[in-house]
Amino acid sequence: MSAVRMPAVAGKFYPRHADELRKHISNYTAAQVSKRIAAIGCIAPHAGYVYSGHVAGAVYSRMDIPRRVIVLCPNHTGAGHPLAIMAHTAWQTPLGEVAADAELGAALLQRFPILHENSAAHRSEHAIEVQLPFLQMRHPDLSFIPIAVGTSDFEILQGLGNALADVISAQPDKVLVIASSDMNHYESDAVTRIKDHKAIARVLALDAGGLWKVVMNENISMCGFGPSVAMLTAASQLGAKEATLVKYATSGEISGDYERVVGYAGIVVA
């Protein structure tokens, strides 16, 4: 029997019961979309659903969701290897198991050997787990590869992006790359919006290097900028022509606290 990664934040970041979870996701994805985008990549937030579920839902509503997905996230816990992949482990959510895409995983490990098969980085990490129910609702036969990114080294992030593009371009079918990221953390709403839109501008320009520079130079605490740099690098190599800001919000709009907010951006790259 293959290993299964059990939920770490069910009942905390999102409902633990399947019926309630389906209802929440249905509400977050209720917007009618005339035509879905055949996206190459996206950025989606990963806070508790009460705060960022409406932004994530807007992103997933806007795209066609293929059967095969790669999800990159930051390593919030600091555990495990700084470039941690799980190529053979299914992930359990309240909606069922999401299978590992062993073929994709093996190809990535061969193409980019500084990736390591490592479960410790993923065991308590929430940033990929919260994406999966949205994806399962859109594609019940989903298979995926999770990668936790715990480095800010631009050359490594660029190398990861190039490896993703090389592996994806060799596949016979579509593979979507998701960067799981919140935006600026724990400053005022006004400051956060200014900082976030500097970062968003570089994403919309498909400028991976520019995103890395503005995050570093402007002290923007965008936790998933590393995954976003890798995703943008891959998307550009795979022929991306544009990025669209689907929705932006801050936690202050939900909590009423505008002194210490977290920003959330949903961006589709195609």
Side-chain angles (χ1 to χ4, degrees):
M1 179 180 290
S2 61
V4 177
R5 189 265 192 192
M6 300 304 292
V9 295
K12 299 175 183 176
F13 279 63
Y14 60 89
R16 70 169 63 250
H17 299 295
D19 289 347
E20 185 183 1
L21 179 54
R22 287 191 189 96
K23 182 178 178 181
H24 279 241
I25 291 176
S26 294
N27 288 338
Y28 295 136
T29 57
Q32 296 298 312
V33 178
S34 58
K35 185 178 181 182
R36 290 196 170 101
I37 299 169
I40 297 171
C42 72
I43 296 174
H46 55 233
Y49 283 8
V50 66
Y51 293 108
S52 68
H54 62 114
V55 178
V59 173
Y60 290 120
S61 297
R62 189 65 65 91
M63 300 183 294
D64 288 327
I65 304 297
R67 183 181 65 84
R68 307 175 79 191
V69 175
I70 297 170
V71 190
L72 302 103
C73 77
N75 185 333
H76 290 94
T77 68
H81 192 273
L83 285 171
I85 189 172
M86 296 177 78
H88 303 284
T89 303
W91 285 40
Q92 181 77 38
T93 82
L95 303 184
E97 282 189 10
V98 182
D101 194 319
E103 180 186 348
L104 267 181
L108 283 166
L109 284 162
Q110 182 175 12
R111 170 61 180 78
F112 200 58
I114 62 174
L115 281 171
H116 278 242
E117 181 79 34
N118 179 261
S119 62
H122 292 276
R123 188 172 296 119
S124 300
E125 176 58 58
H126 67 274
I128 288 176
E129 180 180 328
V130 298
Q131 310 297 336
L132 295 181
F134 284 98
L135 293 163
Q136 288 174 286
M137 287 281 285
R138 291 290 313 283
H139 207 304
D141 295 326
L142 188 77
S143 67
F144 91 121
I145 284 296
I147 303 174
V149 178
T151 178
S152 61
D153 185 298
F154 179 73
E155 289 188 0
I156 293 175
L157 298 171
Q158 187 179 50
L160 175 58
N162 289 331
L164 290 169
D166 288 348
V167 168
I168 290 169
S169 64
Q171 302 305 308
D173 45 7
K174 181 82 173 180
V175 180
L176 176 68
V177 182
I178 297 168
S180 178
S181 182
D182 294 339
M183 301 300 290
N184 196 59
H185 288 61
Y186 308 137
E187 294 187 90
S188 72
D189 191 86
V191 168
T192 287
R193 287 175 184 272
I194 291 168
K195 286 188 171 185
D196 282 351
H197 282 88
K198 289 179 179 180
I200 289 167
R202 301 329 311 153
V203 177
L204 298 183
L206 302 177
D207 182 3
L211 174 62
W212 186 88
K213 288 176 184 175
V214 76
V215 166
M216 291 295 184
N217 293 339
E218 301 286 343
N219 193 28
I220 302 169
S221 53
M222 177 184 179
C223 54
F225 80 94
S228 299
V229 166
M231 181 277 293
L232 284 173
T233 300
S236 295
Q237 189 171 318
L238 290 165
K241 297 293 189 290
E242 63 178 356
T244 303
L245 177 62
V246 175
K247 193 167 188 177
Y248 176 82
T250 74
S251 60
E253 296 169 47
I254 302 298
S255 68
D257 177 1
Y258 290 94
E259 296 306 309
R260 279 173 55 86
V261 306
V262 179
Y264 311 116
I267 302 173
V268 175
V269 179

